[in-house]
Amino acid sequence: MNYVRKKWRQALPAIIVAVVFNLYFFFFIQNGKWGHLVYMDVLLLVPGILITAYDYRSFQKDEKEKARLMGEKELICRILPCFENQDIARHDVEVLEEQADMRFKENCDLQDYVARWCHELKIPLSAAFLMAEKMEDGEMRMAVREQLEKMNQQIHSMLLGCRLQSPLFDLQVRRTELGECVKRSVGNNRFFLVQKGFALTVEVGEIKVYTDPAWLVYILDQLIGNGIKYKSSRPWLHIWASRKEEEVRLYVEDNGEGIKDSDLGRIFEKGFTGSNYHNGKYKSTGMGLYMVSKIADRLGHKIWVESEYGSYTRFTILFKENPYFLRHGEET
């Protein structure tokens, strides 16, 4: 449509001139032969049609090339040999790159500040834990301890979140005892598991997987934390693993509130909090499972969830053999 408009604007002056000449011939040239006028119009019209056809064919060719270039991952202005206003396009790209670099540095500075803040906050938090242990009122001591544990978990999640978003985010994937990671995560959540009266069953055995143990513990912390948050009146938590050929599956299942079918496909989306807990009973940012999904993806693991609302929720993490470590002969 833009092409037709553009060509009409270009052809309009020539059409006006041709119409004016024909009117002049008709009104002011006496004894003029109409055959000469028609012959002249044909001589002008035929080249015009041929030029238009050639131009349209070139336009179609350019459109196909444009469609191909739009699928490239590079900047088009840097791979095309020449085009109209190429200098302006390159200038704008350079300006945008400078702005992006500036925003990137600002983001890195903010992440560094948040990480430092988290580390500094751990010092008074540790002191608060010690002070809480000295409280004589047992009920008050447990209430304070619960809030301090929640603060500690939130600070830990924020610190790891900063690391995940950082451009310096690195993975230390190695052959890891799966049971050790589960043990560490259970230890991180021990206070709330005991406080909420969870019946805990762990059946992992001596299975080893290729993963980053620190990040896997973070994933498990989030899954166990969800089970604690949405617990039932008689809560239990079951963690077990199975191996089949070169695949290992780790399961984390609880008998909590469960997830509605309408929410099941969206729980790993950023900021999604679901429709179950809008009455204010539960507080959620919708970031925990999003971070879990992102970390699992970077580790090369797969994670999915099965649930029946009001009955259970089961998360499954799939580990596969890492060919890099197998090629380099790491001990199993």
Side-chain angles (χ1 to χ4, degrees):
M1 198 64 175
N2 291 334
Y3 173 80
V4 174
R5 243 189 241 112
K6 180 180 178 182
K7 290 306 171 185
W8 266 111
R9 283 198 299 267
Q10 292 177 349
L12 188 58
I15 293 173
I16 292 174
V17 170
V19 170
V20 170
F21 180 79
N22 278 266
L23 291 174
Y24 176 82
F25 185 91
F26 179 78
F27 287 108
F28 296 101
I29 298 179
Q30 303 200 4
N31 301 323
K33 294 183 178 180
W34 285 98
H36 293 166
L37 180 62
V38 172
Y39 180 71
M40 184 181 67
D41 287 342
V42 170
L43 287 179
L44 293 175
L45 186 61
V46 170
I49 293 174
L50 293 176
I51 292 172
T52 301
Y54 176 80
D55 188 70
Y56 183 70
R57 183 180 178 185
S58 299
F59 169 75
Q60 286 186 317
K61 184 178 179 181
D62 291 342
E63 285 295 303
K64 289 181 180 179
E65 180 67 8
K66 177 182 175 182
R68 184 188 69 82
L69 291 172
M70 292 295 285
E72 297 288 338
K73 300 299 182 182
E74 300 180 36
L75 293 174
I76 297 176
C77 67
R78 289 180 175 171
I79 58 179
L80 276 180
C82 60
F83 59 89
E84 188 177 358
N85 297 324
Q86 186 176 32
D87 293 340
I88 295 177
R90 285 182 174 173
H91 168 269
D92 288 349
V93 168
E94 290 174 359
V95 170
L96 290 173
E97 285 180 342
E98 289 179 2
Q99 293 177 352
D101 287 341
M102 186 182 302
R103 299 292 180 270
F104 177 77
K105 291 177 181 177
E106 291 175 353
N107 188 44
C108 289
D109 291 340
L110 178 59
Q111 290 174 356
D112 183 61
Y113 170 76
V114 172
R116 290 175 183 272
W117 180 83
C118 289
H119 283 297
E120 291 178 3
L121 193 59
K122 284 186 175 183
I123 298 174
L125 186 61
S126 299
F129 272 112
L130 295 175
M131 294 169 65
E133 290 300 322
K134 296 180 180 180
M135 299 178 78
E136 296 182 358
D137 187 333
E139 185 176 343
M140 178 63 70
R141 182 172 61 250
M142 290 300 293
V144 172
R145 175 73 183 277
E146 179 181 359
Q147 299 307 315
L148 292 175
E149 288 286 354
K150 289 180 179 180
M151 290 173 60
N152 189 44
Q153 286 187 344
Q154 292 299 322
I155 291 172
H156 184 63
S157 296
M158 184 182 294
L159 187 58
L160 290 177
C162 284
R163 284 182 55 195
L164 182 65
Q165 300 296 331
S166 171
L168 301 177
F169 174 79
D170 62 333
L171 296 173
Q172 298 180 6
V173 177
R174 62 177 183 270
R175 199 155 182 79
T176 304
E177 286 277 0
L178 190 56
E180 286 298 316
C181 293
V182 173
K183 183 178 178 181
R184 284 173 56 190
S185 181
V186 170
N188 292 342
N189 294 275
R190 181 176 59 245
F191 175 84
F192 294 105
L193 289 171
V194 173
Q195 184 197 45
K196 306 298 182 183
F198 268 79
L200 177 65
T201 307
V202 178
E203 299 174 321
V204 177
E206 298 181 355
I207 295 177
K208 293 183 179 181
V209 295
Y210 289 103
T211 189
D212 183 317
W215 287 110
L216 179 58
V217 169
Y218 174 82
I219 290 175
L220 293 173
D221 282 348
Q222 294 297 317
L223 301 185
I224 294 174
N226 270 9
I228 294 172
K229 183 186 294 184
Y230 307 126
K231 69 180 184 66
S232 64
S233 57
R234 300 181 64 183
W236 55 257
L237 182 68
H238 186 195
I239 304 174
W240 75 101
S242 65
R243 178 186 288 278
K244 184 178 180 181
E245 297 178 352
E246 295 184 349
E247 293 185 353
V248 172
R249 297 191 180 194
L250 178 66
Y251 305 90
V252 180
E253 182 175 344
D254 65 75
N255 66 332
E257 295 281 347
I259 305 170
K260 291 182 177 180
D261 291 341
S262 58
D263 296 338
L264 205 56
R266 300 187 58 196
I267 64 170
F268 294 112
E269 293 180 8
K270 185 175 183 179
F272 182 72
T273 57
S275 58
N276 297 1
Y277 314 109
H278 291 172
N279 57 5
K281 182 178 178 182
Y282 304 108
K283 302 295 182 182
S284 177
T285 62
M287 293 297 294
L289 292 179
Y290 164 74
M291 300 290 280
V292 163
S293 175
K294 195 168 184 179
I295 293 169
D297 184 62
R298 293 200 185 188
L299 289 170
H301 308 331
K302 291 184 179 179
I303 184 169
W304 63 90
V305 62
E306 303 165 76
S307 182
E308 182 179 328
Y309 184 58
S311 180
Y312 77 95
T313 300
R314 181 192 305 127
F315 287 93
T316 304
I317 305 174
L318 174 64
F319 304 86
K320 292 187 177 181
E321 292 290 356
N322 191 311
Y324 173 83
F325 288 97
L326 294 178
R327 286 198 302 270
H328 288 73
E330 184 172 326
E331 293 183 2
T332 58

